[in-house]
Amino acid sequence: MPKSNDTHDTGYGSVPLSMRTVTVHGASLFEPRTGAVSTPIYQSSTFRHPGLGETTGFDYSRGINPTRTELEKTMALLEHGKYGLAFATGMGAISSVIKLFKPGDHLIVSEDLYGGTYRLFNEYYARYGLSFSWIDTSDTALVEASLKPNTRAIFIETPSNPMMKVTDIRRCAGLIHAQDGILVTDNTFLSPYFQNPLDLGSDLVVHSGTKYLAGHNDTLAGFIVHSRSDLAADLVNAQKSEGASLSPFDAWLTLRGIKTLSIRMEQHEKNARSIAHWLRSHKRVEKVFYTGFEDHPQYTLSRTQSRGFGGMISFYLKNAVDVPGLLKNISLILFAESLGGVESLLTYPLVQTHAAIPEAMRLSNGVNDRLMRLSVGIEDADDLIADLDSAFSKCV
Ligand SMILES: Cc1ncc(COP(=O)(O)O)c(C=O)c1O
């Protein structure tokens, strides 16, 4: 066992450590049994019991696994929560959140959000008696007006995917707490490095860990983090029962990714700022959606609830005819569906991330045939700009 003065007492209590330090060292600093600096991959589906009624604390890996536990504790520290739960994907995490509700419950949901979340709620959970109001949650008055006596939760993505709208976390928390419901915030776009929704009153934070947290476009992962002791057992049970728990190897990859979260996030943001400004002045681009622009409608709100603007940009081309040429001629930036990795990816939401959203809703949200979404990686910004410039110049 480590000596007490070796104990990694993060806790953000008496001796708070900075986010940079916690990302590198995780919850445990080292593995106490062997001193391993890198958390071992406990590739075991099950664990021996010393005797009847005796346990090592581990049992069967769908419910608990030591590698996953280290990651869950690390995520709890990074999101300033008491409890972390790691899932095989972001959708697995979101699906487990919905297990908290029962038929007849109503949820208010950001209309501008990842298409897979829309599909899960609308095509599946609506079948089981839950109802959803899809609204622009960046409009707090509209959120308030949409509350019903049976509204049990507000589910927001902020910044939203792909239109980069920012929802007021504190005000949504106040509204839903007044009627004893919960606020769930998808914090995928900013990661805990730039935003901690629990500090602003959110009850649960969810993540697609596939994105900035794992960070290398090489694994899928998802998280719920919270401090609600009253919901803790139910969420653990949902994770164990649903079975979408993160595998030991993917937990290790995610822990490894998190070690460099801070330096990656800073580079993503630096690059995104340069590229957003460059795109804004390009003759083939009509409009750029980037929360770091001072004239972004929620710029001031972002400054009060986040520590940075992240690495995501969306933009409208002036002409839809440029879409095939741009996607074909980028050579460094890859045309692929995901975000948050070290490699820059260009996505066409209409046919990829938001294809599951019905046309009328998609169009009213602004996801049209001219919208592109760019996840800015950590390459050299000048190289990325040169790649976009060259691809634009080859458009007809
Ligand atoms: C904001 C957001 N939340 C959740 C998800 C779902 O995550 P996963 O693909 O890890 O299931 C995504 C996926 O793109 C996303 O962009």
Side-chain angles (χ1 to χ4, degrees):
M1 291 296 290
K3 288 185 271 166
S4 60
N5 63 353
D6 285 336
T7 303
H8 184 46
D9 180 23
T10 45
Y12 293 90
S14 50
V15 191
L17 293 177
S18 101
M19 179 84 69
R20 282 175 185 281
T21 305
V22 179
T23 53
V24 172
H25 290 294
S28 299
L29 190 57
F30 58 91
E31 201 250 351
R33 195 170 66 85
T34 61
V37 170
S38 166
T39 303
I41 305 169
Y42 284 89
Q43 194 66 42
S44 187
S45 58
T46 193
F47 296 84
R48 172 186 170 267
H49 292 278
L52 187 61
E54 295 175 43
T55 171
T56 58
F58 296 92
D59 180 3
Y60 184 62
S61 281
R62 173 154 43 76
I64 185 165
N65 174 279
T67 315
R68 193 165 70 233
T69 299
E70 171 64 12
L71 174 61
E72 290 173 332
K73 287 184 176 166
T74 300
M75 274 305 293
L77 287 172
L78 294 179
E79 277 293 15
H80 303 177
K82 277 195 201 151
Y83 311 99
L85 298 136
F87 295 83
T89 62
M91 293 319 300
I94 291 170
S95 188
S96 285
V97 167
I98 299 299
K99 303 293 185 300
L100 293 173
F101 305 105
K102 57 180 190 328
D105 288 348
H106 170 251
L107 288 83
I108 293 173
V109 190
S110 301
E111 62 185 358
D112 176 34
L113 91 173
Y114 171 55
T117 307
Y118 175 83
R119 182 175 54 216
L120 179 73
F121 290 0
N122 207 49
E123 292 183 23
Y124 293 93
Y125 287 112
R127 289 183 196 173
Y128 301 108
L130 297 181
S131 60
F132 303 93
S133 292
W134 302 92
I135 63 159
D136 178 357
T137 54
S138 70
D139 179 347
T140 314
L142 184 59
V143 176
E144 187 166 13
S146 306
L147 286 165
K148 300 179 185 181
N150 61 336
T151 306
R152 305 301 311 132
I154 302 174
F155 185 106
I156 58 174
E157 244 185 49
T158 184
S160 65
N161 179 1
M163 303 310 294
M164 308 303 299
K165 290 182 179 170
V166 178
T167 291
D168 191 324
I169 299 174
R170 289 187 188 89
R171 290 184 68 195
C172 283
L175 287 173
I176 194 68
H177 290 160
Q179 58 182 71
D180 229 16
I182 61 168
L183 177 65
V184 185
T185 306
D186 186 329
N187 198 28
T188 299
F189 265 35
L190 287 182
S191 89
Y193 188 72
F194 283 137
Q195 180 169 272
N196 292 117
L198 299 185
D199 292 348
L200 305 168
S202 190
D203 299 273
L204 308 185
V205 175
V206 295
H207 278 280
S208 169
T210 311
K211 317 300 184 195
Y212 290 107
L213 289 160
H216 294 76
N217 288 319
D218 57 8
T219 187
L220 297 158
F223 297 100
I224 302 173
V225 182
H226 69 103
S227 295
R228 291 278 303 250
S229 310
D230 56 329
L231 304 178
D234 209 357
L235 286 168
V236 166
N237 205 31
Q239 181 194 38
K240 187 167 81 176
S241 306
E242 182 148 311
S245 323
L246 190 64
S247 77
F249 183 60
D250 289 340
W252 181 84
L253 278 173
T254 309
L255 276 167
R256 182 155 114 147
I258 286 174
K259 285 179 188 289
T260 55
L261 182 71
S262 46
I263 53 173
R264 283 188 287 107
M265 290 313 292
E266 285 181 12
Q267 187 66 24
H268 284 297
E269 182 179 63
K270 194 165 153 243
N271 283 355
R273 189 177 305 119
S274 305
I275 293 170
H277 282 94
W278 179 83
L279 278 170
R280 203 175 211 192
S281 60
H282 198 279
K283 62 179 189 302
R284 289 186 190 258
V285 174
E286 183 186 275
K287 183 168 182 182
V288 180
F289 302 89
Y290 170 62
T291 54
F293 287 146
E294 287 185 18
D295 57 1
H296 182 283
Q298 293 96 31
Y299 177 78
T300 310
L301 173 61
S302 290
R303 297 285 309 258
T304 66
Q305 66 181 21
S306 317
R307 293 178 292 274
F309 303 108
M312 295 301 297
I313 301 170
S314 295
F315 55 98
Y316 283 145
L317 296 173
K318 282 188 183 145
N319 297 303
V321 287
D322 285 346
V323 170
L326 180 63
L327 293 175
K328 188 87 194 154
N329 290 305
I330 44 172
S331 57
L332 173 61
I333 300 170
L334 304 171
F335 169 31
E337 173 167 352
S338 197
L339 65 102
V342 290
E343 299 92 355
S344 294
L345 302 182
L346 189 61
T347 299
Y348 190 32
L350 175 76
V351 299
Q352 296 182 301
T353 48
H354 291 70
I357 298 188
E359 190 181 5
M361 180 174 169
R362 190 169 36 69
L363 289 175
S364 90
N365 290 347
V367 182
N368 62 25
D369 61 353
R370 294 180 292 115
L371 183 77
M372 313 302 299
R373 191 189 76 184
L374 180 61
S375 170
V376 180
I378 64 166
E379 305 93 334
D380 186 278
D382 289 343
D383 289 341
L384 296 172
I385 288 172
D387 192 37
L388 286 167
D389 203 23
S390 143
F392 275 132
S393 71
K394 291 177 189 149
C395 291
V396 283

